[in-house]
Amino acid sequence: GLGNDWTNVRALGSHIKGTNGKSQGVVPFLKVVNDTAVAVNQGGKRKGAVCSYLETWHLDIEEFLELRKNTGDDRRRTHDMNTANWIPDLFMKRVMEGGDWTLFSPADVPDLHDKWGRKFEEAYTRYEDKAARGELKLSKKIPAVQLWRKMLSMLFETGHPWITFKDACNVRSPQSHVGTVHSSNLCTEITLNTSDTEIAVCNLGSVNLLAHMKKIGKGDKASKETAWELDHDKLKATIKTAMRMLDNVIDINYYAVAKARNSNLKHRPVGLGIMGFQDCLHLLQHPYASDDAMDFADRSMEAVCYYAYWASTELAEERGRYASYKGSLWDRGIMPQDSLKMLRDERGGYVEVDESVAMDWGGLRARVKEHGMRNSNCVAIAPTATISNIIGVAASIEPEYQNIYVKSNLSGEFTVVNEHLVAELKRLDLWDDVMVSDLKYFDGSLAKIDRVPEQLRRLYATAFEVDATWLVEAGARRQKWIDQAQSLNIYMAGASGKKLDETYKLAWVRGLKTTYYLRTLAATSAEKSTGQGGELNAVSSSGAASAAGAGRAMSGKNAIPTSGVQSAHTAQEPDAAKFCAIDDPTCESCQ
C-alpha cells in the first residue's frame, strides 16, 4: 500500500519552458498511477493499493476532488485509486472565519510545498498579494467555504478524497527538524518525512489489547461481578518484545530501492499499534458512546505509548541512538502530548483536547535525555483488518461494525460474529432460534429487538448507532499520545452536509492528524427472504410461518435459496425448520 504526494506537479495550463507549451496538470499522471495499481497485484494474491495526496492550494484541486466520480470524462477519472486532501491549517481557519482561498500552480509558488504552520501562512499570504497585483497569471480566488463544501460533497458521494491535516502532522512530528511530512500512507496512519532523497518506510505491528486485560473481581468471564483492567506489567513486557522485533526488521528487511533503505536506516521509524479495543470495552461493560469508553481510550493509549517510548530508550542504551536524533523533539525534551501546545501556538488557537495525564512522564523524559531514542517514531495505529479476524478480535480501534456480518476478501467470505454478545445473551438465557433469526433480520443490530435489555443494546451498539462525535473524541484522546497517526474511520448514519461539516471541523479542532474512510449507510438494503436450507425466517412446507419468521416470511414454495449447503438440523425435520446456533461446529451451514 503506497501513499504518494503529488502537490509538486505543476497545474493545468502551466507554461513548459522546454517546449513553450502548456502542462496538462496532475490528473493525467494520476491516471497512470491508478492503472499501475491495477496491474501490479502481487501475483493475484493482493490487489495493488495507492493513495495520492494533494494540498488544498493546488490549482487542480477541484478536478482532483472529482477523480472518483462515475460521471464525466473517464480519461480523467481514477476509479481504482484512493485520494486524500492534504489540508493546511490556514485553509481551515479561512473556512471557520468565512474568508477567501486562493489556488496556485506549484510552479509559481515552489516553497509552499515544504512549509507549514506560521511560515506557510506568511509565504501563502505574500503569494496572495502578488496574485492580487496581477503578478501571478495562474491563480484563482474562491470562497474557502465553497471549496470545503465541495470536499465534503465528494467525500459523501464517492468516499474520497479523505480529510487529512498537513500542519498537525508536521508541527507535532518528532522529525520536523530534518524535513517535511508531505503525505501519509495508504491507510493514513504513517506521518514520516519524504523528499527527493528519501522514501518513507515504516515497519508495523499491533498489540492485541484484549489479551492484556486481567480480572480484578470474582466470577467467570461473562459474569457481571467480574471486573477487568489493563494488565500494565504484561503490556510493558509485550511492547518491549515488539519494539525489539520491529527494530530488528529495519536491519534485516528487503528494500526495493536505495532511497527507502537509506531513509529507514537513518531514522529507524516503527509503528506499533493496537487491536481489540472494542473487545476491551465489552469486558469493561463500557458502551463506545460513553465517557468511560473515552477515558479507557485515553489511559490505554497512554500506557501503550509510554511503554513503547520507554522500550525505544532501552534499545538506544543498548544499540545506540538513531542517526538523525540530534535536534528532534525527543532531543528537546518534548513528548508527543507536549507538542499539542506547539500546535495551538502555530494555529493561534483552535485546539481543544483533554490533556489529562496518568503516568510518570517526567521519569521518561529524564531517561530520554540520558539515553536518547533508538527510533524516530514508535507508534502508529494501522487498520489490522485481516489479522484481527484471524485471532478473533475487533479490528484496530474500530467500533463493532455489526454483531454478525459477512466479510469478503480474495481468500473468500467469512462470517464474523460478536462472541461477547453471544456469551452475554446465553448468560441471560436469551440465545435461542428466535434471537439468531432476529439478529440476521436486523443486520446484526440489537436496537429493535425489544426483549434485549436497554443496557445491553447500548453496550453492543454497532458502528452506525454510535454518533460520529464519539469516534472523533476517542481518536483525539489517543492522538495526543501518538507520535504518528491512526487509521480512523468515520461511521455516519443519516449523513447530511451539516453533520459532515460539524464532524470534520471537530476532528480538526480536536487535533487529529488524519481521518480515513467515511462510511455511510446505503439508502436501501436487501429484502430479507427465506432459503431452502432452513435459513432466516424459513416456514414449513404447509406455509405456516415458524416462530422466528412469523409476519416476515415468504411461503415455502416461493422461498429463494440463499445457500447451496443444507443445514444438518433442518435436513432432519423439513416440515418444522429449526435455526442452528451460529457457533455450532457440527453445522455445515455455520461452517
Side-chain angles (χ1 to χ4, degrees):
L2 305 177
N4 298 148
D5 158 41
W6 288 90
T7 301
N8 249 356
V9 177
R10 54 192 163 194
L12 179 68
S14 293
H15 181 251
I16 300 174
K17 292 180 181 178
T19 62
N20 199 32
K22 291 185 177 181
S23 170
Q24 290 298 303
V26 70
V27 172
F29 294 100
L30 294 179
K31 181 68 173 175
V32 175
V33 175
N34 176 86
D35 295 343
T36 303
V38 175
V40 182
N41 64 357
Q42 298 185 26
K45 294 182 179 180
R46 185 174 182 180
K47 294 180 180 179
V50 174
C51 183
S52 294
Y53 290 74
L54 198 71
E55 285 196 48
T56 314
W57 52 263
H58 197 289
L59 196 58
D60 290 345
I61 186 69
E62 292 177 286
E63 193 171 9
F64 179 79
L65 297 179
E66 298 179 347
L67 282 172
R68 292 293 296 260
K69 288 189 72 170
N70 289 321
T71 56
D73 185 355
D74 210 53
R75 291 169 297 183
R76 300 185 77 83
R77 296 288 180 265
T78 57
H79 302 297
D80 306 287
M81 182 184 76
N82 302 297
T83 56
N85 287 302
W86 195 238
I87 302 174
D89 282 345
L90 181 59
F91 174 75
M92 292 304 299
K93 288 196 281 188
R94 297 275 179 92
V95 170
M96 301 290 252
E97 296 163 8
D100 290 328
W101 186 247
T102 309
L103 306 178
F104 301 105
S105 172
D108 299 327
V109 292
D111 56 328
L112 289 186
H113 187 232
D114 287 319
K115 284 182 164 59
W116 68 87
R118 290 177 181 171
K119 290 183 179 179
F120 173 89
E121 187 167 337
E122 291 166 2
Y124 182 87
T125 51
R126 283 200 304 271
Y127 285 124
E128 282 189 310
D129 292 339
K130 289 183 70 174
R133 294 193 300 266
E135 296 175 23
L136 294 179
K137 293 182 179 180
L138 271 181
S139 66
K140 181 180 179 181
K141 189 174 183 180
I142 57 175
V145 170
Q146 178 182 316
L147 184 58
W148 175 245
R149 284 174 179 164
K150 185 168 184 178
M151 286 180 177
L152 298 181
S153 296
M154 288 298 100
L155 187 62
F156 175 72
E157 181 180 334
T158 70
H160 294 84
W162 302 327
I163 304 294
T164 59
F165 301 111
K166 173 187 180 179
D167 289 340
C169 293
N170 277 284
V171 172
R172 300 190 63 201
S173 169
Q175 292 295 97
S176 58
H177 66 304
V178 288
T180 302
V181 184
H182 290 119
S183 71
S184 185
N185 65 322
L186 171 70
C187 305
T188 75
E189 84 276 15
I190 304 303
T191 54
L192 300 175
N193 299 340
T194 54
S195 68
D196 293 341
T197 59
E198 292 188 351
I199 295 174
V201 184
C202 200
N203 308 304
L204 303 178
S206 295
V207 174
N208 176 9
L209 212 56
L210 180 64
H212 296 81
M213 299 292 286
K214 65 178 181 180
K215 295 179 184 178
I216 55 173
K218 296 181 179 179
D220 57 70
K221 185 176 180 180
S223 171
K224 289 274 188 178
E225 283 117 29
T226 303
W228 295 81
E229 69 177 10
L230 204 57
D231 187 337
H232 280 254
D233 292 336
K234 185 178 181 181
L235 187 64
K236 183 177 182 179
T238 296
I239 290 174
K240 182 177 181 178
T241 301
M243 289 295 290
R244 177 176 292 270
M245 174 191 73
L246 291 173
D247 189 62
N248 288 343
V249 170
I250 293 170
D251 296 316
I252 64 177
N253 202 9
Y254 165 74
Y255 298 96
V257 291
K259 289 181 182 180
R261 182 180 185 276
N262 296 340
S263 173
N264 227 30
L265 292 175
K266 183 178 180 181
H267 311 300
R268 308 191 68 84
V270 300
L272 190 65
I274 61 172
M275 52 186 163
F277 175 76
Q278 174 71 88
D279 299 88
C280 296
L281 294 185
H282 289 330
L283 282 189
L284 295 166
Q285 299 285 300
H286 295 338
Y288 207 111
S290 69
D291 291 333
D292 288 336
M294 299 303 103
D295 289 341
F296 180 73
D298 203 332
R299 300 285 78 86
S300 61
M301 206 65 231
E302 179 181 10
V304 169
C305 292
Y306 184 92
Y307 297 133
Y309 303 151
W310 191 281
S312 189
T313 68
E314 291 182 337
L315 288 169
E317 182 180 9
E318 176 187 339
R319 298 174 171 179
R321 303 171 178 180
Y322 69 90
S324 58
Y325 172 79
K326 191 67 176 176
S328 66
L329 295 191
W330 306 113
D331 183 40
R332 291 154 56 190
I334 300 172
M335 295 288 111
Q337 68 274 20
D338 304 331
S339 64
L340 281 169
K341 183 180 183 301
M342 297 169 58
L343 182 62
R344 187 180 290 111
D345 292 343
E346 290 287 335
R347 284 184 182 175
Y350 290 114
V351 177
E352 300 171 9
V353 185
D354 180 296
E355 297 186 41
S356 58
V357 175
M359 301 181 75
D360 177 23
W361 288 89
L364 179 56
R365 282 189 189 88
R367 183 171 177 82
V368 171
K369 184 176 182 180
E370 181 180 358
H371 300 291
M373 295 284 283
R374 177 64 173 169
N375 313 98
S376 67
N377 299 76
C378 300
V379 181
I381 304 180
T384 77
T386 302
I387 58 174
S388 295
N389 286 145
I390 291 170
I391 63 171
V393 298
S396 187
I397 50 177
E398 297 280 283
E400 200 73 58
Y401 173 65
Q402 289 172 345
N403 289 307
I404 175 173
Y405 64 96
V406 175
K407 174 187 174 175
S408 300
N409 59 25
L410 289 179
S411 299
E413 294 189 343
F414 307 90
T415 300
V416 182
V417 184
N418 187 339
E419 296 179 1
H420 301 281
L421 173 61
V422 174
E424 191 74 18
L425 291 172
K426 285 180 177 179
R427 188 183 70 81
L428 296 173
D429 201 26
L430 291 174
W431 184 251
D432 52 25
D433 297 345
V434 177
M435 183 61 69
V436 174
S437 176
D438 282 344
L439 274 172
K440 291 179 180 178
Y441 184 78
F442 291 116
D443 294 319
S445 171
L446 297 175
K448 296 180 181 178
I449 305 178
D450 294 337
R451 65 189 182 121
V452 175
E454 173 62 27
Q455 181 184 355
L456 215 60
R457 279 184 269 169
R458 284 190 65 237
L459 180 60
Y460 292 98
T462 58
F464 291 108
E465 294 164 356
V466 176
D467 190 276
T469 55
W470 290 105
L471 305 178
V472 172
E473 181 62 32
R477 297 292 191 95
R478 288 185 292 262
Q479 187 63 76
K480 70 176 175 182
W481 306 113
I482 301 172
D483 59 9
Q484 293 200 69
Q486 53 192 318
S487 296
L488 182 66
N489 288 316
I490 303 295
Y491 293 85
M492 194 175 293
S496 66
K498 184 174 185 291
K499 186 66 177 173
L500 288 169
D501 178 64
E502 291 172 349
T503 301
Y504 284 98
K505 282 180 179 175
L506 180 66
W508 180 65
V509 170
R510 286 288 187 267
L512 291 184
K513 294 182 179 181
T514 62
T515 62
Y516 199 21
Y517 283 97
L518 169 67
R519 303 193 184 275
T520 57
L521 285 174
T524 60
S525 59
E527 181 183 347
K528 305 301 188 296
S529 59
T530 61
Q532 291 180 339
E535 294 89 345
L536 174 63
N537 299 332
V539 295
S540 67
S541 58
S542 63
S546 69
R552 297 196 298 264
M554 296 168 59
S555 65
K557 63 181 179 181
N558 294 323
I560 300 172
T562 58
S563 171
V565 182
Q566 189 177 39
S567 165
H569 296 93
T570 57
Q572 296 168 6
E573 301 176 88
D575 291 335
K578 291 185 177 181
F579 300 91
C580 51
I582 293 170
D583 58 349
D584 185 348
T586 66
C587 173
E588 282 187 301
S589 293
C590 290
Q591 300 310 308

